[in-house]
Amino acid sequence: MASSSGAAGRRWSAATCGRHGGSEVSETRAEASQARPELSRTRSHHGGSKTNGQAVPFPMLRAEDEAPTSWLIPRVRSLLYDSESLLSAAQAGRRNKGKGIRAWYTSYTTIDWQHDDVREQARLRGLRAQGGTRGWWLNRVWDPAQGWLLVVLVGVLCGLFAGFISEWTELLAGWKRGYCRADWRLSQPICCRLGAGECEHWHEWGPRVVSQQAVFVAMGTLYTLAAAVMVVRSATRVTGRGGVSSSVETSVSPTVKLAYYGAGSGIPEVKSILAGFVIHGFLGVRILAVKTFGLILCCASGIMAGKEGPMVQIAASLGNIATRIFGKYHTNEAKKREVISAAAAAGVSVAFGAPIGGVLFSLEEVSYFFPNKTMLRSLTCALVAALVLKAYDPFGTGKLVLFQTTYDMDYHWFEMLAFAVIGVFGGLYGALFCRLNMAINRLRRRTWLGRYPVAEVGAVTALTLAASYGNPLTRLGLGELVGSLFQECPGGGRAARADEERDAERLLCVAGGSAGEYAALLRLLALALANRACFAVATFGIKVPSGLVLPSMAVGAVFGRIVGTCVEYLTRAHADWAVFAQCPAGDARCVIPGIYALVGAGAALTGVTHTTIAVVAILMELTGNLIYTLPVLVGVMAARWVAEYFSAHGIYDRLLEHAGHPYLDTKTQYIHTRRTAAELMQTDLETVCVDYEPENSLALVAARLERISARGLADGGFPVVGARGHLLGWIACAELDYAVARCRDMDPDTVCFFNNPLWQMDHVAHGPAAVPHYRLPPGHAKPDSAPAAGRLARLLRPWKLWAGGAA
């Protein structure tokens, strides 16, 4: 099955399928401790291309995946996944053996990190071998600069996309209430700043034909229905993949599912992709267009859908598409994930206007492998994206996000208890949200509810908007609501605001200080809390682009404002208490309820996602002040401890488990109570024995693949053993399945042989004695090794082989 070439210890293996000639070449690699066989095609010795009388491998075409072709850019695959051609002389063949021959990764498989690392090392060795001015330019300037140019480009694109999304979201959200008579293309906040009076150019929809509430509900429902239709029409049909597809999916039959890549937040899938999982089409142009326009419609509709999570997928898609510019990233999946990781940080940066928080969020929640080089490039990408968004100025205020705010009053030590209470609520809400939302998602997958996604979206939207219109707080969009809750009373408001937003801020500020005024405000906040919390659970998971970051922050901010309002009332009504001795005398305000809303937003977000450091950094960048670091830390840490008491995993990890993605969490501690390795090993493992040819027919190999796929182990492989059970190598199910698919037209009784056809190139370059063979298929003649018996004896010393292949 295998051979060893030269004293360098190069290890490889391959397989041939057929009775006479014709072979499939497996991956070859140099100086690697582990290997996985990858398959390409070799011409038969009956008439294929030859060098010095020997057959030479040639590239093959990989079958198209099930992911649909993008609308704008057709899916074009090169003949060979490795960039260099193997059709040259034997010397070129030996150079490429170091990195192997690999076809394109199929969907729902994992990448080979070892293979991609070896390929990168082989590419760098080729660059180092070039001398002169060209070699200096390539090694010292062009090759290192490609990564920085790529992250800068991705940052610019992320900033432009974020500005476009924010601008059109504000415009469409304003059309639910009216339009600007000066220019219909202006959003309500910008239109209100044009005239000398308060919104003199803004025209509200009058009650001449239908009521304002009917227009509000109808247009919001129309927005989400349009987004749902785009998502459903772009769904990908997944067949024969066990339980692995997407966190938002619908089962058509036991073996067929519809994966809605344009729905949900996309963060769970981006996490699995960065961990090495392959989902073709998820970060393509088609889903990018659906996610962008669908996100605008959903955020403008007024439902409990945030744009922060989808912005991560949009940024990751931009990073994935941009890697096509440079070959070293486009043809290397491991290198490509470095750019996608940096792009994810830029997505969070433009969503919150927090570059440092975006990098920390990518490090803590999204990325799987985050070395120093990736961290620096992520920071560069996030910084460029924030600068471009700042220059775009989608809101016309100079702010990156609507809820960016500042405070001019410090906190007091007696408020720490209230901050801890808010943190406990955030943890309890996060645990309850995860449990209820996962139950609803399982209900969508198993019942008729998942078969009518568009109808579900319309019903949830109509119910949400109808129930929210009567409350001036819930009538606002999520960004305006959180911004109003964060505001300081009095003053600190924005110069020119929309009527509804200004009215909401007036409602949140109690001027008289009477118990009746505070009771009315608390009643309004309590209704808003119940409304936002219930619809947040029901909305996350419907077939539209929607995130949970801003909805979770809105729920926590409302509860925090409730606690802050209660504390403010106590400081006014009982100013003589000793605990309030630090408060100023008279009717001056002692506390800022907006700070409590800020702490509540961070606590609820931590309770749902189990993210801590990134949340604190984001909130600090939103306020632009480090004074409130301790209050935010108290609330966030209390929420994290309470949430982990009920569950060790946040919502994104639960969605990964729900989708069945093979994600190995580095934060999870796996404890084994068994003592020996034999107790941990599987006893019913399927194997491939190279010495029993009747068991390696096409029909039996296909049956093995069917059995292992039915057990949900399609991302695994088969050990390749000899007659005595000694391990000779390993073949992945994906490569074996592809090789069998290539031989569908052959007789089912055709025998598959495990061998290495690349011995011929070594035979040409170094003579017959260089490559002794363990096993040859029919039709191949073993080279005469007698002239170099001494060298052959040294090569045949005991050694271990850890690479295998099949066809």
Side-chain angles (χ1 to χ4, degrees):
M1 160 168 177
S3 63
S4 176
S5 173
R10 294 180 174 86
R11 300 166 182 145
W12 71 88
S13 107
T16 59
C17 186
R19 294 176 177 173
H20 302 288
S23 60
E24 301 287 338
V25 181
S26 77
E27 164 185 297
T28 64
R29 58 182 65 181
E31 302 169 0
S33 58
Q34 294 181 354
R36 287 174 55 185
E38 312 300 340
L39 302 175
S40 69
R41 191 174 177 181
T42 303
R43 293 194 180 185
S44 171
H45 67 283
H46 291 294
S49 176
K50 299 185 179 183
T51 302
N52 294 337
Q54 302 295 334
V56 182
F58 73 99
M60 67 177 177
L61 280 171
R62 187 72 189 242
E64 281 295 325
D65 299 306
E66 298 171 358
T69 305
S70 55
W71 291 341
L72 302 179
I73 300 178
R75 186 182 301 277
V76 179
R77 298 277 171 81
S78 60
L79 291 179
L80 188 64
Y81 185 68
D82 296 280
S83 58
E84 298 179 12
S85 174
L86 292 183
L87 292 176
S88 57
Q91 183 179 1
R94 288 185 55 79
R95 181 176 70 249
N96 281 275
K97 281 196 311 178
K99 62 178 184 177
I101 308 169
R102 170 181 285 280
W104 200 270
Y105 289 106
T106 59
S107 288
Y108 309 108
T109 58
T110 54
I111 69 171
D112 191 341
W113 295 91
Q114 180 73 18
H115 169 82
D116 290 336
D117 180 66
V118 171
R119 290 188 66 252
E120 176 64 12
Q121 296 300 320
R123 188 189 69 83
L124 291 177
R125 285 196 298 270
L127 285 179
R128 300 298 185 267
Q130 299 191 31
T133 305
R134 174 179 173 81
W136 175 86
W137 168 260
L138 292 177
N139 287 279
R140 297 298 183 90
V141 180
W142 179 239
D143 190 65
Q146 289 182 12
W148 296 103
L149 292 175
L150 201 55
V151 296
V152 169
L153 174 62
V154 173
V156 171
L157 292 176
C158 288
L160 293 176
F161 267 72
F164 175 79
I165 291 172
S166 299
E167 183 180 16
W168 278 91
T169 298
E170 287 296 303
L171 179 61
L172 294 182
W175 286 355
K176 295 187 302 179
R177 297 182 288 265
Y179 68 96
C180 184
R181 287 177 290 191
D183 189 350
W184 63 271
R185 296 170 298 178
L186 297 179
S187 62
Q188 185 177 4
I190 298 178
C191 183
C192 291
R193 288 192 292 270
L194 293 179
E198 294 184 353
C199 293
E200 62 180 19
H201 294 289
W202 183 258
H203 175 71
E204 296 281 348
W205 300 119
R208 297 179 181 178
V209 181
V210 292
S211 64
Q212 292 184 355
Q213 182 178 2
V215 176
F216 183 84
V217 175
M219 294 195 67
T221 305
L222 183 63
Y223 290 164
T224 55
L225 287 177
V229 170
M230 287 193 298
V231 170
V232 172
R233 292 294 298 273
S234 64
T236 300
R237 183 178 295 269
V238 182
T239 58
R241 299 294 181 183
V244 178
S245 59
S246 171
S247 59
V248 183
E249 64 174 23
T250 297
S251 296
V252 179
S253 68
T255 59
V256 179
K257 298 178 182 178
L258 289 178
Y260 301 97
Y261 294 157
S265 69
I267 291 182
E269 287 80 4
V270 172
K271 287 184 64 173
S272 63
I273 289 174
L274 291 177
F277 198 53
V278 179
I279 309 178
H280 284 169
F282 185 80
L283 299 180
V285 178
R286 180 188 180 94
I287 301 302
L288 174 62
V290 172
K291 204 79 171 184
T292 301
F293 293 103
L295 183 61
I296 294 174
L297 294 170
C298 289
C299 292
S301 66
I303 63 174
M304 292 294 288
K307 66 178 181 180
E308 289 72 22
M311 276 304 304
V312 174
Q313 182 180 351
I314 291 174
S317 299
L318 293 173
N320 177 66
I321 295 170
T323 56
R324 301 175 184 178
I325 300 175
F326 301 112
K328 76 172 185 178
Y329 292 100
H330 180 48
T331 59
N332 192 308
E333 294 294 327
K335 296 287 292 181
K336 181 185 296 184
R337 275 152 179 77
E338 295 179 6
V339 180
I340 296 177
S341 181
V348 180
S349 173
V350 295
F352 289 103
I356 299 177
V359 175
L360 292 177
F361 188 86
S362 179
L363 170 63
E364 186 176 3
E365 185 62 38
V366 181
S367 297
Y368 190 81
F369 180 65
F370 209 79
N372 290 335
K373 180 177 64 175
T374 303
M375 181 179 65
L376 293 176
R377 290 180 178 175
S378 299
L379 182 59
T380 302
C381 191
L383 175 61
V384 172
L387 290 175
V388 173
L389 182 60
K390 181 77 173 180
Y392 196 108
D393 194 14
F395 306 110
T397 60
K399 295 183 177 181
L400 298 181
V401 290
L402 285 176
F403 44 89
Q404 191 172 0
T405 185
T406 57
Y407 302 116
D408 57 2
M409 185 184 298
D410 201 352
Y411 61 91
H412 305 283
W413 281 105
F414 67 84
E415 299 179 74
M416 286 298 179
L417 180 61
F419 296 146
V421 171
I422 295 175
V424 172
F425 167 81
L428 293 174
Y429 168 76
L432 183 62
F433 176 89
C434 293
R435 187 162 298 183
L436 293 179
N437 185 257
M438 293 308 302
I440 294 176
N441 287 334
R442 287 190 291 268
L443 188 67
R444 289 189 179 107
R445 174 179 288 187
R446 298 173 181 174
T447 63
W448 59 269
L449 193 62
R451 295 194 293 270
Y452 303 98
V454 178
E456 181 191 11
V457 169
V460 171
T461 303
L463 185 60
T464 300
L465 298 181
S468 303
Y469 188 83
N471 192 327
L473 296 179
T474 56
R475 193 186 310 165
L476 296 174
L478 290 177
E480 293 86 351
L481 174 62
V482 173
S484 299
L485 293 171
F486 283 178
Q487 289 303 311
E488 182 180 357
C489 294
R494 280 156 280 187
R497 300 180 298 275
D499 291 339
E500 292 185 351
E501 191 174 352
R502 184 179 60 254
D503 294 340
E505 292 182 7
R506 290 173 179 173
L507 288 174
L508 294 171
C509 300
V510 179
S514 64
E517 291 178 314
Y518 277 101
L521 175 57
L522 290 175
R523 187 181 309 111
L524 193 67
L525 289 172
L527 292 176
L529 176 64
N531 179 287
R532 301 290 87 174
C534 293
F535 285 114
V537 175
T539 303
F540 188 66
I542 61 176
K543 307 305 184 295
V544 292
S546 61
L548 58 84
V549 174
L550 197 54
S552 301
M553 292 180 64
V555 173
V558 173
F559 181 81
R561 192 80 186 199
I562 292 175
V563 176
T565 303
C566 294
V567 174
E568 183 186 36
Y569 171 75
L570 292 177
T571 58
R572 285 187 169 188
H574 306 280
D576 56 339
W577 287 5
V579 69
F580 301 139
Q582 299 176 354
C583 294
D587 195 37
R589 294 184 181 272
C590 181
V591 298
I592 302 178
I595 297 179
Y596 293 79
L598 181 73
V599 175
L605 181 57
T606 298
V608 173
T609 63
H610 288 204
T611 307
T612 53
I613 302 176
V615 172
V616 175
I618 289 172
L619 295 180
M620 292 304 96
E621 289 187 88
L622 286 177
T623 59
N625 200 326
L626 297 178
I627 296 176
Y628 312 104
T629 303
L630 288 179
V632 173
L633 275 174
V634 169
V636 166
M637 293 307 300
R640 178 64 182 266
W641 290 333
V642 174
E644 284 195 340
Y645 175 79
F646 293 97
S647 175
H649 301 288
I651 185 64
Y652 297 135
D653 295 326
R654 291 193 177 199
L655 288 174
L656 279 174
E657 183 180 357
H658 176 72
H661 292 181
Y663 182 80
L664 184 62
D665 191 0
T666 56
K667 299 185 293 291
T668 302
Q669 183 180 5
Y670 299 93
I671 302 175
H672 300 284
T673 58
R674 299 174 183 177
R675 298 182 178 180
T676 62
E679 294 175 331
L680 294 174
M681 292 181 179
Q682 292 180 270
T683 58
D684 57 343
L685 190 65
E686 295 268 4
T687 61
V688 174
C689 183
V690 298
D691 291 322
Y692 295 108
E693 297 177 0
E695 295 183 1
N696 295 333
S697 64
L698 279 175
L700 294 179
V701 170
R704 289 195 187 101
L705 286 170
E706 292 290 341
R707 288 195 298 269
I708 198 170
S709 298
R711 295 171 58 185
L713 303 176
D715 58 325
F718 295 94
V720 181
V721 299
R724 299 182 179 180
H726 293 168
L727 179 64
L728 301 176
W730 186 80
I731 176 67
C733 289
E735 282 75 29
L736 186 59
D737 179 61
Y738 171 66
V740 172
R742 296 275 295 179
C743 304
R744 293 296 186 190
D745 296 335
M746 294 186 180
D747 188 351
D749 295 331
T750 302
V751 177
C752 296
F753 294 90
F754 292 75
N755 198 51
N756 183 9
L758 281 179
W759 67 272
Q760 297 162 1
M761 290 190 301
D762 286 279
H763 173 62
V764 173
H766 299 280
V771 190
H773 260 259
Y774 176 82
R775 184 176 180 81
L776 287 172
H780 285 266
K782 187 172 182 179
D784 184 12
S785 58
R791 185 179 180 185
L792 178 59
R794 292 194 302 270
L795 293 175
L796 293 181
R797 291 175 181 174
W799 49 276
K800 295 181 180 180
L801 176 64
W802 297 102

